[in-house]
Amino acid sequence: MITIILCFIKFYMKALYIVLSLLFISCGGKQEKTVPTVKKLSESVYASVTIQPDSLYEAHAVVNGILERNLVDEGALVNKNTPLMHITNSTSALTSENALLSLQLSTNNYQGSSNLLKEIKEDIETAELTLKNDSVNFKRQENLWSQNIGSKIEYDTKKLAYQRTKNQLKVLYNKFYRTKKELETQAKQAQNTYKSSKINTDEYTVTSKINGKVYALYKNTGEIVTTMEPLASVGSATDFIIEMLVDEVDIVKIEKGQKALITLDAYSSEVFEARITKIYPQKDSRSQTFKIEALFITTPKKLYPGLSGEGNIIIAEKNNALIIPKEYLLNGNSVITNNGVVQVVTGLQNLNEVEILKGIGAETEIIKPE
């Protein structure tokens, strides 16, 4: 009984295979057919593209205030340290003016014609003359006293006057050097304070950090300026970089030095070659993409910040690859031939084509699945 059942199953399967094969072959004549081609194939990764000037940065003020005026226009070419805008602040101006007055006063006290040191020096000269006179009188009285001429009171008086003048001169010398040191220190402190206030005043003029072009001005005259808000956008006038966003599933395939083919919306009929120069390691959590940068090998005639387009980064290339259209691939690993379904091994692939490594040959006719 089991033998009869097994024979029936084998007969049924064979008959079903014959029917399906005849049905497949009969329908095959109505389906599209092709044969593999041998040519160069490139596998690439897609990226969205935005053009930005090289060294692009946003200029900020280092102090708060009010924008007095913009010193350049948008689109202006500037050199490094070119003033871009000036900010006013009355407090800073008053501080600087007071520092200047303090500097002038301290300098005059130290070096001026009526300075304190001159007064002390005149006192010293007077004390030196007095000491010289008291010294002569004391010596004369001392000689007389040694000869028992004169009184003891006269001798002591002359001696005391000499000692007093001598001590007074010593005090004046100490006062002179101490005052000189104090005035010198005060003058230096005033000078440093003025320099500091001058630096703060200079910081109210925002200057360019590079040679380039002013692409945007964000504030108008009279508006409040803070250190948190950008005032201008400045970048290179001649060199541009290509910012590309790559999906996280493809970033591991990207290497520096790989070639990219760039199409821009502004140049829809042209393809530009570029080379990958930088890969940013941090993923953007919002877009789930990684940013990479590239430089043009062939540069468009005109470029502007913000131009957008698409890029294909070549991650692999192969000459003489056996290629079929992707639409002829069944379930990712099979093709339909005149003899039925055949499994294949695929290699490189792009958006439209796929390489066949094993399973069919260049002469094999394949049928497009419905």
Side-chain angles (χ1 to χ4, degrees):
M1 183 66 178
I2 294 175
T3 303
I4 295 173
I5 292 173
L6 289 174
C7 290
F8 176 77
I9 291 173
K10 289 181 180 179
F11 175 78
Y12 175 78
M13 293 299 294
K14 187 174 182 180
L16 180 61
Y17 175 79
I18 294 173
V19 171
L20 290 176
S21 298
L22 291 174
L23 182 61
F24 175 78
I25 293 172
S26 64
C27 294
K30 298 178 183 180
Q31 292 179 300
E32 297 181 35
K33 296 182 180 180
T34 189
V35 292
T37 58
V38 178
K39 64 177 184 179
K40 182 178 180 179
L41 180 65
S42 299
E43 183 173 352
S44 62
V45 167
Y46 173 82
S48 60
V49 165
T50 304
I51 304 300
Q52 296 291 3
D54 191 19
S55 304
L56 182 68
Y57 79 98
E58 291 185 328
H60 286 74
V62 296
V63 289
N64 298 325
I66 296 175
L67 181 64
E68 181 180 351
R69 67 185 184 277
N70 288 314
L71 303 177
V72 294
D73 296 323
E74 290 180 325
L77 297 177
V78 294
N79 295 321
K80 186 176 181 180
N81 296 325
T82 297
L84 302 178
M85 56 206 60
H86 186 71
I87 303 164
T88 59
N89 187 300
S90 58
T91 302
S92 174
L94 290 174
T95 301
S96 180
E97 185 177 352
N98 290 335
L100 177 59
L101 292 174
S102 178
L103 174 62
Q104 292 172 343
L105 178 61
S106 60
T107 302
N108 186 61
N109 288 337
Y110 179 55
Q111 298 176 341
S113 59
S114 60
N115 63 72
L116 297 176
L117 288 178
K118 186 178 179 180
E119 295 176 5
I120 299 175
K121 197 170 183 180
E122 290 174 351
D123 291 340
I124 290 175
E125 291 175 354
T126 302
E128 287 176 341
L129 291 174
T130 303
L131 178 64
K132 185 177 181 180
N133 184 62
D134 289 344
S135 176
V136 171
N137 291 334
F138 172 63
K139 289 296 183 183
R140 184 183 297 117
Q141 190 64 39
E142 189 178 37
N143 290 332
L144 292 174
W145 179 251
S146 65
Q147 301 174 26
N148 294 320
I149 301 174
S151 65
K152 182 73 165 55
I153 294 176
E154 289 178 326
Y155 170 77
D156 291 339
T157 301
K158 299 295 184 182
K159 182 178 181 181
L160 180 61
Y162 170 71
Q163 290 292 340
R164 185 171 58 245
T165 306
K166 186 178 180 181
N167 292 335
Q168 184 181 6
L169 182 61
K170 185 178 180 180
V171 170
L172 288 173
Y173 273 128
N174 290 335
K175 182 180 180 181
F176 175 83
Y177 291 118
R178 184 177 67 253
T179 305
K180 182 180 179 181
K181 186 66 176 178
E182 290 175 354
L183 292 176
E184 184 181 9
T185 301
Q186 290 173 4
K188 287 183 178 179
Q189 289 175 341
Q191 188 175 26
N192 291 337
T193 301
Y194 177 68
K195 285 182 178 179
S196 177
S197 68
K198 194 73 173 65
I199 291 172
N200 289 336
T201 302
D202 291 341
E203 287 177 347
Y204 282 83
T205 299
V206 180
T207 59
S208 174
K209 304 302 181 185
I210 62 170
N211 298 330
K213 178 186 284 189
V214 178
Y215 287 100
L217 296 172
Y218 301 125
K219 291 285 185 178
N220 297 317
T221 299
E223 291 187 319
I224 295 175
V225 172
T226 69
T227 57
M228 302 299 294
E229 298 176 302
L231 301 180
S233 177
V234 183
S236 173
T238 56
D239 300 327
F240 289 80
I241 59 174
I242 309 166
E243 290 186 355
M244 311 172 76
L245 297 180
V246 177
D247 193 275
E248 63 176 325
V249 300
D250 295 321
I251 190 62
V252 294
K253 305 173 186 176
I254 308 300
E255 301 287 345
K256 291 171 67 173
Q258 289 175 333
K259 186 170 72 173
L261 302 178
I262 307 298
T263 58
L264 299 175
D265 295 341
Y267 295 90
S268 57
S269 60
E270 298 183 59
V271 178
F272 303 96
E273 292 188 0
R275 190 76 63 185
I276 304 301
T277 57
K278 187 174 183 178
I279 302 172
Y280 288 85
Q282 180 66 44
K283 182 180 75 171
D284 188 326
S285 58
R286 292 173 298 178
S287 63
Q288 299 296 304
T289 60
F290 285 83
K291 185 171 80 169
I292 63 176
E293 289 182 1
L295 294 178
F296 281 107
I297 299 174
T298 55
T299 307
K301 294 179 181 179
K302 289 184 179 181
L303 288 173
Y304 294 91
L307 289 181
S308 60
E310 298 178 333
N312 286 289
I313 304 166
I314 308 301
I315 60 173
E317 288 185 303
K318 186 175 182 180
N319 294 316
N320 301 320
L322 187 66
I323 297 168
I324 66 169
K326 251 187 176 179
E327 56 191 2
Y328 280 77
L329 195 63
L330 185 66
N331 298 326
N333 63 353
S334 303
V335 294
I336 303 173
T337 69
N338 292 327
N339 296 322
V341 177
V342 176
Q343 285 194 338
V344 294
V345 177
T346 60
L348 300 182
Q349 54 184 299
N350 58 28
L351 189 62
N352 301 314
E353 299 172 318
V354 60
E355 178 191 15
I356 302 299
L357 299 175
K358 192 175 181 181
I360 61 173
E363 308 297 331
T364 306
E365 190 175 52
I366 57 176
I367 302 168
K368 184 178 180 181
E370 291 184 351

